[in-house]
Amino acid sequence: MFYGGCNFMFNRKPKRESYTLVVNEIPVLVTRKKIKTIRLKVNRVSLEVKLSSPFKISDEELIAFIHQKMGWIKKHLSKPPLQLPEPDLKYENGDSIPFKGGNYSLKLQHGAKKIGVNIQGSDIILSFRNIITQSRKEKALNDFYRIYLKNEIPKLIEKWEPIMKVSVNEFGVKKMKTRWGTCNIRDKRIWLSLELAKKSPELLEYVVVHEMVHLHERLHNQRFKNFMTQFLPNWKELQKQLNGRID
Ligand SMILES: [Zn+2]
């Protein structure tokens, strides 16, 4: 076995090749890989279209495939991205801050003993000592979101466990770019996106119930949908409002 410098001769990674095909004015990033079937993805954050293909399929065949999927691609590209690109928030007085499905007006308040965030009417008050950096403001608001979710989610789990006859061992909140929630069925652990703090309590509950239904059914099949209808009859409407991926 050789270690070190001889990458050219001893490169054992599968061969890969990337280039762009433009079909109906839509750029599609093609990557050739050692795989058996074509995979097509639309990244809902960057709105990039990506395709992975086995080496043996010709570009003509790929173009025909992309044409065939054009309806699906356009549908996904026309949806707003799950997370809008951060609107360059400077966190200044009067900036609009989303929370629980509404917009709050940011008020900066110095002279406090330590950094804190709280709600007063339609204002969100960020208090601090003397000066505060942009990134510290952002962190303070994310901490505020996290505390809110960590307080609300256990109440929802407790409410739904006896109704749904499942038990959740653990939950976590984290920054997720493309999903609202995920569920580890074996460990009975659910993960929820920090972004949910910006959405209405009804939508937060919907994602929690969705993840808990996975403890009955792994797939998004008819059985899964029947459970959803049983527990939250208006779940389809909520899904539309949320407009994004839940795993
Ligand atoms: Zn799911």
Side-chain angles (χ1 to χ4, degrees):
M1 191 63 181
F2 263 92
Y3 291 98
C6 282
N7 280 332
F8 296 105
M9 282 174 74
F10 296 99
N11 188 351
R12 297 175 62 213
K13 280 184 183 169
K15 210 175 136 206
R16 285 166 64 129
E17 197 190 326
S18 285
Y19 54 97
T20 301
L21 284 176
V22 180
V23 183
N24 285 7
E25 295 177 2
I26 294 173
V28 178
L29 180 70
V30 175
T31 306
R32 300 289 187 161
K33 290 179 184 172
K34 273 192 174 171
I35 49 176
K36 293 214 166 78
T37 55
I38 302 176
R39 294 178 204 150
L40 183 66
K41 276 198 302 199
V42 176
N43 184 314
R44 301 254 299 107
V45 177
S46 63
L47 298 180
E48 286 169 315
V49 185
K50 292 182 180 176
L51 182 148
S52 309
S53 162
F55 289 97
K56 63 179 182 196
I57 295 177
S58 70
D59 278 353
E60 287 70 29
E61 286 170 301
L62 287 185
I63 290 167
F65 176 84
I66 295 165
H67 270 296
Q68 218 179 50
K69 300 283 178 188
M70 198 45 82
W72 181 87
I73 295 171
K74 285 194 170 157
K75 192 182 106 192
H76 282 271
L77 286 178
S78 65
K79 285 185 190 173
L82 177 56
Q83 245 187 337
L84 296 169
E86 288 296 312
D88 242 356
L89 259 184
K90 294 205 166 65
Y91 301 103
E92 280 164 3
N93 269 313
D95 277 356
S96 175
I97 305 289
F99 179 54
K100 283 170 77 170
N103 280 307
Y104 288 77
S105 174
L106 182 65
K107 295 275 173 296
L108 299 172
Q109 224 166 55
H110 63 86
K113 280 194 178 134
K114 54 178 189 165
I115 294 176
V117 176
N118 61 81
I119 298 285
Q120 275 176 26
S122 59
D123 292 338
I124 189 161
I125 316 284
L126 171 55
S127 36
F128 53 97
R129 240 174 122 129
N130 300 316
I131 44 166
I132 184 167
T133 62
Q134 195 114 318
S135 65
R136 197 61 192 79
K137 289 180 194 170
E138 189 179 345
K139 185 180 180 300
L141 283 163
N142 281 338
D143 288 347
F144 172 75
Y145 286 146
R146 195 179 301 273
I147 291 165
Y148 159 73
L149 289 175
K150 291 217 158 168
N151 194 33
E152 292 306 307
I153 294 165
K155 294 184 211 161
L156 292 169
I157 292 174
E158 259 173 55
K159 170 185 165 183
W160 284 99
E161 273 180 335
I163 301 170
M164 297 172 68
K165 299 191 170 59
V166 292
S167 73
V168 176
N169 282 344
E170 229 185 319
F171 77 92
V173 172
K174 63 179 171 181
K175 281 193 176 180
M176 291 196 269
K177 277 194 171 163
T178 58
R179 297 163 206 195
W180 293 111
T182 64
C183 180
N184 180 322
I185 297 166
R186 198 197 57 199
D187 297 341
K188 298 186 180 179
R189 185 195 303 132
I190 63 180
W191 285 104
L192 297 150
S193 166
L194 188 63
E195 291 291 303
L196 281 167
K198 300 177 184 175
K199 301 290 172 186
S200 70
E202 211 185 1
L203 292 178
L204 170 64
E205 181 165 32
Y206 162 59
V207 178
V208 171
V209 171
H210 176 113
E211 298 310 336
M212 288 174 74
V213 167
H214 278 307
L215 300 175
H216 281 303
E217 174 58 56
R218 176 183 296 268
L219 303 169
H220 296 134
N221 54 16
Q222 194 53 49
R223 183 164 178 264
F224 182 94
K225 290 173 186 167
N226 293 345
F227 276 123
M228 285 308 298
T229 306
Q230 182 188 337
F231 300 130
L232 287 178
N234 65 334
W235 70 274
K236 283 185 186 162
E237 178 48 40
L238 299 170
Q239 168 70 63
K240 249 187 239 161
Q241 282 179 38
L242 199 55
N243 185 26
R245 182 168 159 195
I246 313 180
D247 272 0

